[in-house]
């Protein structure tokens, strides 16, 4: 069958990703529609482009048209046509208006991973130069400058110096130093650029936790941003480049553990996906700061006084920390130990509603309205807990939750879990 | 009727062979893609994840969609149970004859399956969001299943209609490897992959205490 150039290029991207899971998901969907209402975007605005399987059908139709006998000989039966440039243009909104949260997989009777197909559709669009320009720009900056927001080494060091001064004051210790580039440390801690730019108090809290636990740890002045925009673009090359940078730096410093800050997608990428991208097991452990803090509390290295946080607190499970990361109980144990009143949202854990801020949404200002509207389910969840403090474990979610608090007039204070912990630390 | 019975008897083996051959071929193509074990060190148990995924995670109270759409869940269950029992009815008849008392049970099962499938067909045809995701395959697959269930229902009551039922079975067998009904095989693969990944990552763990 003659292929258009567009189809040829798309198939190259698709074929490089076709493995048993992806092929199964492409083949198995029954179009039952049960995933529709599992998606926060569809619940906020029930239109076709927000139905998870509709999004996944973009790439499914390419697979069916060019890789299955029915698609080749009876395309009308499956509603298929040749892939052309206009079709790709039509993909952009459904495919990029998704947070890749995978809540729809939990609801699907077949357990189909729509996000895996949406990521493939993103990869095809990115390679065709059709991904949203700011997202592509952030991906480029991540690779070239080490940070999607263009944060330079000097700015990073400047920010850390400020945090160091704050901590000296807090600890009443003029000699306190934030360790940077210390070879032979046990732990390399890599924060995220959103925290460095918007939430330095989260990083300060992490430093305080390391200090209190007496940890051997360091930051790196060349690898100071753990965010991985390759994930949002579906671009394996960018994903690999960023992960390799983190891995090489950890190896150079000789650490045993790399700890990611409260950044959801970065944890998921480095902990679960980087070994597969690079086809090798990592020579160190990867942990989220909350996993480590949880271990330290259990070991008695950290002690927490819940009376330091008397207000009712609820917790938003970041999709990439909980559903896609497996850090499920740790934040709950920590919050129960460092606050007087921890209230669960319903539903929670792997069924929690996505806040609507993931998948690179914050880097696509043209979709700001959609992003805010899509947080409606989350806003209702927060409101019904009656909590006045909303904690989360992802800087990206933090940003979105602050926006939702303003937009839906929730009147909650948004904080990171580590901030509440640091506030409750006792000597 | 006799002519139909005779003709369908002749054609049936070919339809079955076509179906099995293409199913094996299609499955071989899927399996050929290969599965690489994830390299990130596991946090939970893949085996428990798969077990959970194939059992408890599908219980009605485990899903939001069931609570919101109890009739769709019931219709889905009714249709699949109806198909299963009707196929069992057909298979049993190939090798022996079912006792008389069992025939009304198969008739009821096929009827429930038929009504359920019809309900899902109507839902697909009338709801805008279902329209947006549906193709001809979705309607045709359902219609052929309905026809087959109707055949099973009528034959359970009037055995002389066996030829008609076999005709519906032939049509279904010819269609199965071409369209979405193929999901009957991939259902187990898909759910296992889901359980494997979520289990491995330690996401599906509800038994841990929330205290130090
Ligand atoms: S719930 Fe699963 S099978 Fe049903 S339409 Fe959505 S992805 Fe497809
Ligand atoms: S991954 Fe999340 S945002 Fe994307 S379609 Fe599924 S539920 Fe919706």
């Amino acid at each position: 069958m003659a292929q258009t150039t567009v189809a040829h290029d798309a198939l190259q991207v698709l074929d490089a990703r076709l493995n048993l899971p992806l092929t199964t998901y492409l083949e198995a969907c029954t179009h039952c529609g049960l995933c529709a209402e599992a998606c926060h975007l569809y619940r906020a605005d029930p239109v076709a482009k927000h139905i998870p399987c509709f999004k996944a059908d973009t790439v499914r139709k390419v697979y069916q048209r060019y890789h299955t006998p029915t698609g080749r000989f009876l395309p009308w039966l499956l509603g298929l046509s040749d892939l052309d440039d206009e079709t790709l243009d039509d993909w952009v909104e459904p495919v990029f208006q998704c947070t890749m949260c995978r809540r729809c997989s939990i609801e699907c009777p077949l357990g189909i991973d729509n996000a895996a197909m949406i990521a493939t559709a993103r990869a095809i669009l990115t390679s065709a130069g059709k991904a949203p320009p700011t997202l592509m720009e952030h991906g480029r900056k991540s690779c070239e400058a080490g940070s999607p927001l263009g944060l330079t080494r000097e700015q990073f060091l400047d920010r850390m110096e400020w945090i160091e001064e704050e901590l000296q004051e807090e600890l009443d210790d003029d000699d306190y130093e934030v360790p940077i580039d210390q070879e032979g440390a046990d732990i390399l801690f890599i924060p995220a650029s959103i925290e460095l730019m918007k939430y330095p108090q989260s990083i300060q809290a992490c430093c305080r936790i390391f200090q209190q636990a007496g940890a051997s740890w360091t930051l790196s002045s060349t690898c100071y941003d753990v965010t991985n925009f390759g994930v949002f673009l579906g671009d394996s090359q960018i994903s690999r480049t960023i992960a390799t940078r983190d891995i090489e730096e950890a190896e150079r410093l000789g650490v045993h553990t790399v700890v990611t800050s409260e950044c959801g997608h970065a944890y998921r990428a480095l902990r679960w996906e980087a070994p597969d991208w690079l086809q090798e097991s990592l020579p160190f452990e990867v942990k989220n700061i909350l996993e480590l803090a949880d271990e330290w509390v259990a070991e008695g290295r950290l002690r927490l006084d819940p009376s330091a946080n008397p207000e009712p607190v609820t917790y938003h499970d970041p999709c990439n920390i909980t559903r896609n990361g497996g850090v499920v109980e740790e934040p709950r144990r920590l919050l129960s130990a460092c606050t007087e009143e921890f209230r669960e949202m319903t539903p929670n854990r792997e069924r929690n509603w996505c806040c609507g801020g993931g998948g690179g949404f914050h880097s696509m200002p043209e979709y700001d309205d959609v992003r805010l509207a899509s947080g409606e389910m989350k806003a209702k969840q927060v409101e019904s807990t009656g909590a006045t403090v909303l904690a989360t474990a992802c800087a990206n979610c933090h940003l979105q939750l602050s926006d939702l608090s303003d937009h839906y007039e929730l009147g909650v204070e948004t904080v990171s879990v580590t901030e509440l912990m640091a506030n409750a630390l006792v000597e | 009727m006799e002519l139909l019975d005779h003709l369908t008897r002749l054609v049936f083996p070919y339809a079955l062979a076509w179906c099995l051959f293409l199913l094996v071929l299609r499955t071989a193509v899927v399996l050929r893609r290969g599965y690489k074990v994830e390299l990130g060190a596991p946090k939970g148990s893949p085996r428990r994840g798969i077990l959970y995924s194939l059992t408890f995670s599908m219980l009605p109270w485990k899903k939001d969609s069931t609570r919101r759409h109890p009739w769709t869940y019931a219709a889905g269950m009714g249709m699949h149970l109806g198909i299963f029992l009707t196929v069992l009815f057909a298979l049993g008849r190939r090798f022996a004859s079912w006792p008389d008392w069992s025939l009304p049970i198969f008739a009821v099962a096929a009827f429930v399956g038929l009504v359920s499938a019809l309900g899902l067909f109507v839902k697909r045809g009338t709801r805008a969001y279902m329209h947006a995701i549906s193709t001809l395959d979705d309607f045709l697959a359902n219609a052929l299943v309905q026809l087959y269930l109707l055949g099973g229902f009528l034959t359970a009551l009037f055995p002389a209609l066996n030829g008609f039922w076999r005709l519906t079975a032939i049509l279904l067998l010819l269609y199965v490897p071409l369209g979405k009904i193929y999901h009957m095989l991939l259902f187990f693969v898909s759910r296992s992959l889901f359980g494997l990944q979520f289990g491995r990552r330690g996401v599906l763990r509800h038994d841990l205490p929330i205290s130090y």
Side-chain angles (χ1 to χ4, degrees), chain B:
Chain B
M1 266 306 152
E2 254 175 53
L3 181 64
L4 184 64
D5 193 54
H6 182 68
L7 283 177
T8 53
R9 249 180 228 285
L10 282 179
V11 177
F12 186 85
Y14 296 102
L16 185 64
W18 153 275
C19 178
L20 292 178
F21 174 71
L22 285 183
L23 280 185
V24 169
L25 205 69
R26 197 166 163 183
T27 307
V29 169
V30 174
L31 295 179
R32 188 175 58 99
R33 299 290 177 189
Y35 178 72
K36 282 192 184 137
V37 177
E38 285 191 326
L39 292 169
K43 184 169 179 177
S45 158
R47 206 177 310 157
R48 267 186 59 186
I50 294 173
L51 211 63
Y52 176 74
S53 170
L54 290 170
T55 53
F56 297 115
S57 81
M58 287 187 293
L59 292 172
W61 54 89
K62 286 282 183 184
K63 297 206 178 287
D64 272 355
S65 51
T66 317
R67 276 187 291 273
R68 291 178 64 80
H69 300 283
W71 287 111
T72 303
Y73 183 84
M77 294 301 283
M79 182 178 77
H80 285 95
L81 202 68
I83 295 170
F84 176 77
L85 288 174
T86 308
V87 170
L88 190 73
F89 179 40
L91 286 177
R93 284 164 54 92
R94 297 270 325 151
F95 305 108
S97 58
W98 291 98
D100 283 350
W101 58 262
S102 67
L103 298 183
I105 299 176
F106 288 119
V108 169
F111 184 74
V112 168
L114 176 62
V115 171
S116 303
L118 182 64
L120 293 172
F121 189 92
V122 171
K123 181 180 176 189
R124 190 176 289 286
T126 53
R127 300 281 171 87
Y129 81 101
M130 290 301 287
H131 240 290
I133 56 173
S134 298
T135 62
L136 182 57
D137 173 40
D138 296 308
F139 289 103
L140 196 55
N142 183 305
L144 288 172
V145 165
Q146 283 187 53
L147 210 56
Y148 177 71
L149 289 168
L150 177 68
F153 170 67
L154 292 175
T155 306
L157 297 179
F158 313 105
L161 293 176
N162 195 32
F164 168 69
W165 188 22
R166 201 177 296 109
L167 177 66
T168 67
I170 289 169
L171 293 176
L172 195 59
L173 285 171
L174 291 176
Y175 192 72
V176 162
L178 301 180
K180 69 181 261 188
I181 302 176
Y182 177 56
H183 78 268
M184 68 185 180
L185 287 188
L186 286 185
F187 172 85
F188 298 100
V189 182
S190 185
R191 281 223 68 86
S192 299
L193 288 166
F194 169 89
L196 178 69
Q197 194 185 63
F198 281 97
R200 213 170 171 281
R201 293 189 183 190
V203 178
L204 306 170
R205 302 172 307 162
H206 290 276
D207 51 333
L208 298 181
I210 306 181
S211 64
Y212 286 104

Side-chain angles (χ1 to χ4, degrees), chain A residues 362-377:
Chain A
H362 277 286
S363 294
M364 299 181 275
E366 62 272 42
Y367 300 150
D368 272 354
D369 289 350
V370 178
R371 173 173 62 80
L372 286 172
S374 77
E376 191 186 336
M377 292 306 293

Side-chain angles (χ1 to χ4, degrees), chain A residues 132-423:
Chain A
T134 37
L135 198 62
M136 295 225 275
E137 175 67 5
H138 286 172
R140 190 188 58 75
K141 276 193 194 158
S142 274
C143 279
E144 291 170 7
S147 161
L149 303 181
L151 187 80
T152 63
R153 181 173 183 271
E154 287 64 37
Q155 286 170 318
F156 164 71
L157 291 173
D158 199 45
R159 187 44 62 106
M160 290 318 300
E161 197 180 311
W162 178 81
I163 289 175
E164 190 173 84
E165 283 165 14
E166 291 288 310
L167 278 168
Q168 284 172 350
E169 201 175 309
E170 187 183 328
L171 297 167
D172 196 16
D173 176 3
D174 289 346
D175 295 331
Y176 173 79
E177 279 182 19
V178 174
I180 296 180
D181 294 333
Q182 295 211 345
E183 287 184 35
D186 282 341
I187 294 165
L188 168 62
F189 173 59
I190 318 181
S193 46
I194 300 181
E195 294 169 298
L196 289 159
M197 312 280 259
K198 291 273 293 182
Y199 303 118
Q201 64 275 22
S202 292
I203 299 180
Q204 186 176 330
C206 294
C207 295
R208 178 81 177 82
I209 289 167
F210 285 127
Q211 185 271 344
Q212 184 78 26
S216 156
W217 71 287
T218 186
L219 287 157
S220 162
S221 68
T222 52
C223 183
Y224 46 81
D225 188 350
V226 74
T227 47
N228 194 325
F229 266 64
V231 174
F232 302 143
L233 288 162
D235 188 318
S236 342
Q237 191 51 47
I238 295 181
S239 301
R240 270 197 290 269
T241 304
I242 296 170
T244 304
R245 192 170 58 214
D246 297 342
I247 293 163
E248 285 178 354
E249 182 62 354
E251 286 181 319
R252 186 186 72 76
L253 292 167
V255 299
H256 303 126
T257 310
V258 170
V259 174
T260 64
S261 65
E262 290 174 288
C263 176
H265 84 273
Y267 171 71
R268 172 184 171 178
L270 201 58
R271 170 69 174 88
W272 295 111
E273 281 156 24
D276 297 328
W277 295 333
L278 303 166
Q279 275 307 295
E280 59 184 31
S281 299
L282 304 185
F284 47 77
E285 270 190 287
V286 177
K287 286 186 176 161
N288 180 269
I289 180 71
L290 299 184
E291 290 177 287
L292 199 62
D294 179 55
E295 285 170 22
W296 285 342
V297 174
E299 288 166 12
R301 282 173 74 174
L302 293 177
R303 288 192 305 122
L304 300 163
D305 172 13
S307 68
N309 297 307
E311 311 82 7
V313 176
T314 189
Y315 175 64
H316 161 68
D317 281 286
C319 304
N320 283 326
I321 294 285
T322 308
R323 188 159 39 238
N324 301 317
V327 183
V328 185
E329 303 303 330
E330 292 88 340
R332 297 184 154 74
R333 284 195 290 263
L334 291 168
L335 286 169
S336 300
C338 76
T339 67
E340 275 194 340
E341 197 183 342
F342 169 50
R343 299 179 184 175
E344 283 281 13
M345 292 183 195
T346 310
N348 54 52
R349 296 179 171 84
E350 81 274 11
R351 284 167 204 280
N352 193 37
W353 283 103
C354 173
C355 65
F361 250 112
H362 277 286
S363 294
M364 299 181 275
E366 62 272 42
Y367 300 150
D368 272 354
D369 289 350
V370 178
R371 173 173 62 80
L372 286 172
S374 77
E376 191 186 336
M377 292 306 293
K378 177 53 58 185
K380 284 183 186 160
Q381 264 198 304
V382 174
E383 212 165 22
S384 65
T385 65
T388 53
V389 178
L390 171 55
T392 192
C394 168
N396 201 52
C397 296
H398 196 158
L399 211 54
Q400 169 78 346
L401 294 170
S402 307
D403 286 354
L404 295 183
S405 182
D406 293 344
H407 187 74
Y408 293 95
E409 298 177 0
L410 301 175
V412 288
E413 180 195 356
T414 50
V415 292
S416 65
V417 176
T418 49
E419 279 176 82
L420 291 174
M421 270 191 74
N423 194 40

